[in-house]
Coordinates of all heavy atoms in Angstrom, one line a residue:
W53 N 17.5 89.0 26.6 CA 18.9 88.8 26.1 C 18.9 89.0 24.6 O 19.9 89.5 24.0 CB 19.3 87.4 26.4 CG 19.5 87.1 27.9 CD1 19.6 88.0 28.9 CD2 19.5 85.8 28.5 NE1 19.7 87.4 30.1 CE2 19.6 86.1 29.9 CE3 19.5 84.5 28.1 CZ2 19.7 85.0 30.8 CZ3 19.6 83.5 29.0 CH2 19.7 83.7 30.4
E56 N 19.2 92.6 24.3 CA 20.5 93.1 24.7 C 21.5 93.0 23.5 O 22.3 93.9 23.3 CB 21.0 92.2 25.8 CG 22.4 92.5 26.3 CD 22.9 91.6 27.3 OE1 22.1 90.8 27.9 OE2 24.1 91.6 27.7
F57 N 21.4 91.9 22.7 CA 22.4 91.8 21.6 C 21.7 92.2 20.3 O 22.4 92.0 19.2 CB 22.8 90.3 21.5 CG 23.6 89.9 22.8 CD1 23.0 89.1 23.7 CD2 24.9 90.3 22.9 CE1 23.7 88.7 24.9 CE2 25.6 89.9 24.1 CZ 25.0 89.1 25.0
P106 N 28.8 85.2 16.1 CA 28.2 86.5 16.1 C 28.7 87.4 15.0 O 29.8 87.2 14.5 CB 28.5 87.0 17.4 CG 29.7 86.3 17.8 CD 29.6 84.9 17.2
E110 N 27.5 92.3 17.1 CA 27.1 91.5 18.3 C 28.4 91.1 19.1 O 28.3 91.0 20.3 CB 26.4 90.2 17.8 CG 25.1 90.5 17.1 CD 24.6 89.4 16.3 OE1 25.3 88.3 16.2 OE2 23.5 89.5 15.7
K113 N 29.4 93.3 21.9 CA 28.6 93.3 23.2 C 28.9 92.1 24.0 O 28.4 92.0 25.2 CB 27.1 93.3 22.8 CG 26.7 94.6 22.0 CD 25.3 94.5 21.6 CE 24.9 95.7 20.7 NZ 23.5 95.6 20.3
I114 N 29.7 91.2 23.5 CA 30.1 90.0 24.3 C 31.4 90.3 25.0 O 32.5 90.1 24.4 CB 30.2 88.7 23.4 CG1 28.9 88.5 22.6 CG2 30.5 87.5 24.2 CD1 28.9 87.4 21.6
D115 N 31.3 90.8 26.2 CA 32.5 91.2 26.9 C 32.9 90.3 28.1 O 33.8 90.7 28.9 CB 32.4 92.7 27.4 CG 31.1 92.9 28.2 OD1 30.4 91.9 28.4 OD2 30.8 94.0 28.5
S116 N 32.2 89.2 28.3 CA 32.5 88.3 29.4 C 31.9 86.9 29.1 O 31.2 86.7 28.1 CB 31.9 88.9 30.7 OG 30.5 88.9 30.6
A117 N 32.3 86.0 29.9 CA 31.8 84.6 29.8 C 30.3 84.6 30.0 O 29.6 83.8 29.3 CB 32.5 83.7 30.7
A118 N 29.8 85.4 30.9 CA 28.4 85.4 31.2 C 27.6 86.0 30.0 O 26.5 85.5 29.6 CB 28.1 86.2 32.4
A119 N 28.2 87.0 29.3 CA 27.6 87.6 28.1 C 27.6 86.6 27.0 O 26.6 86.5 26.2 CB 28.3 88.8 27.7
A120 N 28.6 85.8 26.9 CA 28.7 84.7 25.9 C 27.6 83.7 26.1 O 27.0 83.2 25.1 CB 30.1 84.1 25.8
G121 N 27.4 83.3 27.4 CA 26.3 82.4 27.7 C 24.9 82.9 27.3 O 24.1 82.2 26.8
R122 N 24.7 84.2 27.6 CA 23.4 84.8 27.3 C 23.2 84.9 25.8 O 22.1 84.6 25.3 CB 23.3 86.2 27.9 CG 23.4 86.3 29.5 CD 22.9 87.6 30.0 NE 23.8 88.7 29.5 CZ 24.9 89.1 30.1 NH1 25.3 88.5 31.2 NH2 25.6 90.1 29.7
Y123 N 24.3 85.2 25.1 CA 24.2 85.3 23.6 C 23.9 83.9 23.1 O 23.0 83.8 22.2 CB 25.5 85.8 23.0 CG 25.5 85.7 21.5 CD1 25.0 86.8 20.8 CD2 26.1 84.6 20.9 CE1 25.0 86.7 19.4 CE2 26.1 84.6 19.5 CZ 25.5 85.6 18.7 OH 25.5 85.6 17.4
A124 N 24.5 82.8 23.6 CA 24.3 81.5 23.1 C 22.8 81.1 23.3 O 22.2 80.5 22.4 CB 25.3 80.5 23.7
A125 N 22.3 81.4 24.5 CA 21.0 81.0 24.8 C 20.0 81.8 23.9 O 19.0 81.2 23.4 CB 20.7 81.2 26.3
A126 N 20.2 83.1 23.8 CA 19.3 83.9 23.0 C 19.4 83.5 21.5 O 18.3 83.4 20.8 CB 19.7 85.4 23.1
W127 N 20.6 83.2 21.0 CA 20.7 82.7 19.6 C 20.0 81.4 19.4 O 19.2 81.3 18.4 CB 22.2 82.5 19.3 CG 22.4 82.3 17.8 CD1 22.7 83.2 16.8 CD2 22.4 81.0 17.2 NE1 22.9 82.5 15.6 CE2 22.7 81.2 15.8 CE3 22.2 79.7 17.6 CZ2 22.7 80.1 14.9 CZ3 22.2 78.6 16.7 CH2 22.5 78.9 15.4
T128 N 20.1 80.5 20.3 CA 19.4 79.2 20.1 C 17.9 79.4 20.2 O 17.2 78.8 19.4 CB 19.9 78.2 21.2 OG1 21.3 78.1 21.2 CG2 19.3 76.9 21.0

Side-chain angles (χ1 to χ4, degrees):
W53 297 342
E56 177 184 352
F57 298 102
E110 297 164 354
K113 302 177 182 179
I114 305 175
D115 54 3
S116 64
R122 295 195 301 271
Y123 174 84
W127 187 93
T128 305

